[in-house]
Amino acid sequence: MSEREIVVDVRGLHKCFGHLEVVKGVDMQVRRGEVVVIFGRSGSGKSTLLRCVNFLEDPTEGTIEVAGMRLAGGYRTRRKRNQIRKLRLHVGMVFQQFNLFPNMTALENVMSAPMCAKLGKEGEIKQRAMELLDRVGLAEKAGEHPIRLSGGQQQRVAIARALAMKPDVMLFDEPTSALDPELTGEVLSVMKTLASEHMTMMVVTHEMGFAREVADRMCFFHEGGVLEQGPPAQIVGNPQQPETKKFLDAVL
């Protein structure tokens, strides 16, 4: 693992909302093919970290490098906005809410980003979109609008849409938190398949069973920083920090 290319490199990341500092000096590296699960209490800064990696939130301080593109936090100039757009071509993100376009079919949702980015001819993009829908088990739903799909199906379309850009890293921000247990299983199954295919993934989740099965590394977030990290067997089986143990005792 240590010899693999670093895909995400976060250095000295701080994020403040007014006087409230949510992320406090985080350093994190994610290597190609690595699955990193980030867990912790609500409000600990987990989701904000992911949103900063994709520059949905502009870091207050620090630098973020994705697939060799480095950007620093601070004021957004026109040049920086252009750099952010280029960086996002390398990042796929799946949110708690599905955020599909309600007026588009599943197929059109998956095609939307590569069409806007002009990543090929329409026929080629459509073919890849169909392949991705098939990959998440929804080829037969290509012509359906989101309102006709279950929550689990919508989230799987959202995963296919993120994959359509051929990202270097996939970010998952509590992708099953809005789903009931049966639908949660559908989404986690797709994510497990991606992990088995060595997709680089950063996953914010409380699904400890998923984490133990597929994570290469687990990071416990506490009060804006990484309090403890390591392989699942170590973190779940023998946590070193009292706060980590207290959290795990509550969720396992």
Side-chain angles (χ1 to χ4, degrees):
M1 181 68 70
S2 62
E3 296 178 355
R4 294 184 191 176
E5 169 195 359
I6 295 173
V7 177
V8 178
D9 192 358
V10 177
R11 302 277 182 172
L13 179 65
H14 292 258
K15 177 60 185 178
C16 300
F17 295 96
H19 296 294
L20 178 64
E21 188 175 27
V22 177
V23 179
K24 305 174 182 179
V26 169
D27 297 316
M28 183 179 293
Q29 295 180 330
V30 181
R31 296 183 179 273
R32 189 166 300 282
E34 188 178 16
V35 178
V36 177
V37 167
I38 302 162
F39 70 107
R41 296 179 181 85
S42 297
S44 59
K46 312 179 303 294
S47 294
T48 301
L49 168 67
L50 286 198
R51 292 177 65 84
C52 286
V53 171
N54 204 18
F55 275 83
L56 293 172
E57 299 289 351
D58 207 334
T60 305
E61 294 180 31
T63 62
I64 295 170
E65 182 175 315
V66 179
M69 293 189 60
R70 177 172 294 182
L71 286 173
Y75 183 70
R76 293 197 179 195
T77 62
R78 178 178 296 179
R79 179 174 179 270
K80 184 175 178 181
R81 286 194 293 269
N82 289 334
Q83 290 175 321
I84 290 171
R85 281 193 286 269
K86 291 178 181 178
L87 180 143
R88 286 179 181 159
L89 294 175
H90 299 275
V91 181
M93 188 157 185
V94 178
F95 301 87
Q96 298 177 36
Q97 302 300 323
F98 320 123
N99 293 343
L100 299 178
F101 297 114
N103 61 322
M104 293 183 180
T105 65
L107 178 62
E108 290 166 343
N109 266 281
V110 178
M111 292 176 62
S112 58
M115 286 292 291
C116 287
K118 299 179 180 178
L119 296 185
K121 297 179 180 178
E122 183 175 355
E124 297 169 344
I125 292 173
K126 183 176 181 179
Q127 180 180 348
R128 173 164 169 76
M130 281 300 303
E131 291 171 353
L132 288 170
L133 285 173
D134 184 57
R135 187 175 175 185
V136 299
L138 291 173
E140 76 284 358
K141 301 292 186 180
E144 300 286 1
H145 286 77
I147 196 171
R148 299 286 299 271
L149 302 175
S150 70
Q153 290 170 337
Q154 289 186 57
Q155 193 63 296
R156 284 185 280 157
V157 173
I159 292 172
R161 182 177 62 179
L163 290 170
M165 295 298 289
K166 301 180 181 180
D168 286 276
V169 58
M170 287 281 287
L171 311 178
F172 293 88
D173 185 9
E174 299 194 39
T176 61
S177 63
L179 303 176
D180 64 36
E182 182 179 358
L183 300 181
T184 291
E186 295 178 6
V187 174
L188 292 179
S189 178
V190 172
M191 294 171 64
K192 289 174 185 177
T193 299
L194 292 178
S196 71
E197 296 170 350
H198 308 294
M199 170 62 72
T200 309
M201 298 162 63
M202 298 177 69
V203 184
V204 170
T205 186
H206 290 154
E207 297 288 344
M208 293 296 102
F210 168 84
R212 283 186 288 192
E213 184 175 346
V214 306
D216 296 295
R217 179 161 41 110
M218 294 177 66
C219 299
F220 178 64
F221 242 64
H222 181 67
E223 296 183 351
V226 179
L227 181 64
E228 184 173 2
Q229 62 180 309
Q234 173 189 316
I235 295 298
V236 177
N238 187 28
Q240 300 300 300
Q241 297 294 328
E243 288 293 340
T244 312
K245 186 178 187 305
K246 183 178 178 182
F247 179 85
L248 289 171
D249 286 345
V251 301
L252 291 176

